[in-house]
Amino acid sequence: MTDVAERDIADRLVYRRAVEAAIWGMAAVNFEVMRSVMAPDRKIEFLYWSKLLDWRNQTLTPNPDLIYYMAFMDPGRDGPIVVDIPPATDEHVLNGSLCNIWQVPLEDVGKFGADAGNGARYLILPPGFDGAVPEGYLVLPSDTNQTYALLRSVLPEATQQALDSGLEYCRGIRIYPLAAADNPPETPRRDLFGELVDTRIPYTLEFWKALDRVVQAEPWLPRDRAFAEMLATIGIERGTPFEPDPRRVELLEEAVREAHASIREIYRNDPPFYDGRHWFFPAGRDFTEGQSHNFADGEVYPYTDRAVVYHMAFIGLKRLGVGQFYLVNLRDAHGEILRSDRTYRLRVPAGVPVSQYWSVTMYDGEDHTLIRGNATYSVSSQQPGLRVNEDGSVDVYLGPTAIPGMEANCVGTGESETFELMFRFYGVGPGVLNKQWQLDDPVVVDAAGHTFTR
């Protein structure tokens, strides 16, 4: 065998393993990119947005209709950590989750979480913790050193008063080490509203640098040990500097691009939630069930489904379909990808089965973010001035210009080329999952909002 052939085989081995490792590592890279951008010094603090999100929040498919509170925690470094959630009030409801770096939920918190809106002190334990645990805590063992919280202040109405009330409630949430529980300190808070926060996943060498940081900081889980060998093959190994040469960089960047393309292909062809329509939830049953118990049944480990979800979103829910549920659509009623130079009407039937609110949000079809430069991002059941049809349905218009007289029902496509939609159900009623209530696909309309035949 010639030296050229041997080098080719070696390169192909690196490339093959890198593609699979990128798919496997997507959720952790998603976490690490967020942490490195929002909490680079790794200290405990609340990150929040004091107003509803705008396009400068370039996280993956964020919700622009509520308040976000986030915190990155490291119980592996700091020891057990308390997340102190106050009881809900008549004016305020919290929906949230605490997750490990793989976006697996340790627990949901708030009205639809373990405390059922009564408030609780959650105690996150680091991997292998065998110390004494005091009474009075909801105990959450973590299998990763680092964890994070995403807490959503759900507004009862879209008013400044409701927003201020939500922020006031969130000031009562505290995070601190268990060692400080006798005299808990105030949790530092940092307002990110107005700042550009770009946590899009990079499909370049930066992806592998983020994954290397995870490998250096975290224990290997038993189910992932085969990937330790894969990563060692491509140059990522615990205790070893990640210093790929130019040829290795070329291979790794090509591999992560292929991994991304493969995930997008699955995403664009996910099976529909409703027969004959194009709305879908971007993961299968094995993933959604496995998330609820950290894939503990030992039968299936759907890391490809995990990659599909976490290349376009973040945070996991332990009780998916109770507090929240989501459907995504990339296509119109004819099965064509949603184009930003066209105008569409999405008719939301009356009686959406929710106890909180519903919304439909538009994202850039290329990178799953709020469209840069836009001023409108969603239409919700709480929208001021929302026009409702006589039968209780709501027409939402999506396109380059607003429909005259229907501005409150319109979302602009801005500078995007394609777009995608996410329909959110908050306070999920039984009619959602049993499909007694169903969404139609968007249909193409003219600039005045009138449908036409092809």
Side-chain angles (χ1 to χ4, degrees):
M1 184 179 293
T2 66
D3 290 345
V4 172
E6 288 176 351
R7 286 198 300 272
D8 183 55
I9 289 173
D11 283 354
R12 282 187 286 148
L13 176 62
V14 168
Y15 182 82
R16 288 196 309 271
R17 291 194 161 185
V19 170
E20 204 62 27
I23 294 171
W24 163 79
M26 190 67 62
V29 168
N30 180 319
F31 165 90
E32 174 57 22
V33 170
M34 289 193 295
R35 186 214 57 76
S36 65
V37 169
M38 290 192 271
D41 55 8
R42 298 178 182 266
K43 68 180 181 181
I44 294 178
E45 66 177 343
F46 267 123
L47 309 165
Y48 73 103
W49 286 259
S50 59
K51 298 184 184 299
L52 300 181
L53 303 184
D54 63 16
W55 66 268
R56 287 169 292 190
N57 183 305
Q58 288 285 287
T59 53
L60 300 176
T61 57
N63 187 340
D65 296 304
L66 45 66
I67 301 169
Y68 275 136
Y69 253 52
M70 295 185 72
F72 295 86
M73 299 162 284
D74 193 340
R77 178 195 64 189
D78 299 330
I81 291 176
V82 180
V83 180
D84 194 344
I85 303 293
T89 67
D90 292 339
E91 296 80 25
H92 182 269
V93 172
L94 187 77
N95 290 11
S97 299
L98 308 172
C99 287
N100 71 12
I101 68 158
W102 293 101
Q103 317 273 354
V104 172
L106 306 177
E107 189 52 270
D108 298 334
V109 306
K111 180 175 181 178
F112 299 105
D115 62 279
N118 297 312
R121 291 184 299 171
Y122 293 85
L123 181 62
I124 303 175
L125 303 180
F129 181 79
D130 61 359
V133 175
E135 295 183 357
Y137 294 90
L138 288 174
V139 179
L140 308 179
S142 174
D143 54 2
T144 64
N145 289 322
Q146 300 171 89
T147 62
Y148 79 113
L150 177 69
L151 307 176
R152 308 167 186 85
S153 180
V154 181
L155 306 181
E157 56 186 6
T159 64
Q160 186 64 44
Q161 181 179 354
L163 192 150
D164 291 342
S165 176
L167 288 170
E168 182 62 29
Y169 170 87
C170 287
R171 291 187 188 102
I173 302 171
R174 292 187 295 180
I175 298 180
Y176 49 86
L178 178 63
D182 289 341
N183 185 24
E186 288 297 320
T187 309
R189 287 163 167 79
R190 179 156 52 97
D191 184 2
L192 296 180
F193 183 78
E195 295 185 21
L196 179 63
V197 179
D198 189 346
T199 64
R200 290 174 292 175
I201 297 172
Y203 297 101
T204 64
L205 184 64
E206 295 303 313
F207 181 99
W208 299 107
K209 290 180 179 179
L211 189 54
D212 177 66
R213 293 195 296 271
V214 171
V215 169
Q216 302 306 325
E218 295 294 338
W220 279 104
L221 304 182
R223 63 172 175 256
D224 288 329
R225 285 181 179 149
F227 288 94
E229 180 182 335
M230 286 192 183
L231 289 176
T233 301
I234 67 178
I236 295 176
E237 192 170 8
R238 178 80 53 78
T240 301
F242 176 54
E243 298 173 342
D245 61 27
R247 175 55 180 157
R248 181 66 55 89
V249 170
E250 182 181 353
L251 287 170
L252 293 179
E253 292 198 324
E254 185 179 352
V256 76
R257 288 193 296 268
E258 179 168 324
H260 183 213
S262 300
I263 291 165
R264 282 180 63 86
E265 180 67 14
I266 296 170
Y267 178 66
R268 288 191 164 194
N269 294 282
D270 261 322
F273 187 72
Y274 308 117
D275 291 341
R277 305 180 195 185
H278 298 99
W279 291 97
F280 65 94
F281 180 78
R285 177 174 293 180
D286 287 337
F287 171 81
T288 55
E289 291 181 355
Q291 280 277 92
S292 68
H293 52 64
N294 200 3
F295 309 103
D297 65 8
E299 293 296 324
V300 179
Y301 184 27
Y303 63 85
T304 302
D305 267 3
R306 182 177 68 187
V308 172
V309 172
Y310 293 117
H311 95 287
M312 53 77 63
F314 61 99
I315 206 70
L317 302 176
K318 198 174 186 71
R319 298 170 181 82
L320 181 68
V322 178
Q324 297 103 255
F325 191 67
Y326 312 90
L327 291 174
V328 175
N329 202 336
L330 316 178
R331 302 178 186 274
D332 67 16
H334 293 276
E336 297 182 5
I337 292 291
L338 297 169
R339 287 174 32 183
S340 299
D341 59 349
R342 289 179 173 172
T343 300
Y344 301 84
R345 184 197 69 211
L346 171 65
R347 178 158 291 167
V348 180
V352 183
V354 293
S355 61
Q356 293 179 318
Y357 76 95
W358 62 260
S359 69
V360 58
T361 307
M362 177 189 293
Y363 300 102
D364 192 302
E366 293 304 307
D367 59 18
H368 321 291
T369 61
L370 296 174
I371 295 170
R372 288 168 284 286
N374 267 19
T376 60
Y377 313 100
S378 67
V379 171
S380 84
S381 55
Q382 299 175 329
Q383 190 95 359
L386 184 69
R387 297 283 295 272
V388 180
N389 299 325
E390 289 185 4
D391 64 356
S393 65
V394 174
D395 290 333
V396 177
Y397 294 96
L398 316 146
T401 57
I403 305 296
M406 297 291 291
E407 286 81 3
N409 294 48
C410 297
V411 186
T413 52
E415 297 301 318
S416 62
E417 295 183 5
T418 64
F419 67 92
E420 60 191 15
L421 300 175
M422 181 177 289
F423 197 96
R424 286 179 166 89
F425 305 84
Y426 265 68
V428 184
V432 176
L433 296 184
N434 67 21
K435 306 178 187 179
Q436 290 182 350
W437 183 94
Q438 297 194 8
L439 269 172
D440 287 326
D441 293 323
V443 297
V444 179
V445 297
D446 63 21
H450 301 131
T451 59
F452 56 89
T453 57
R454 299 190 175 192

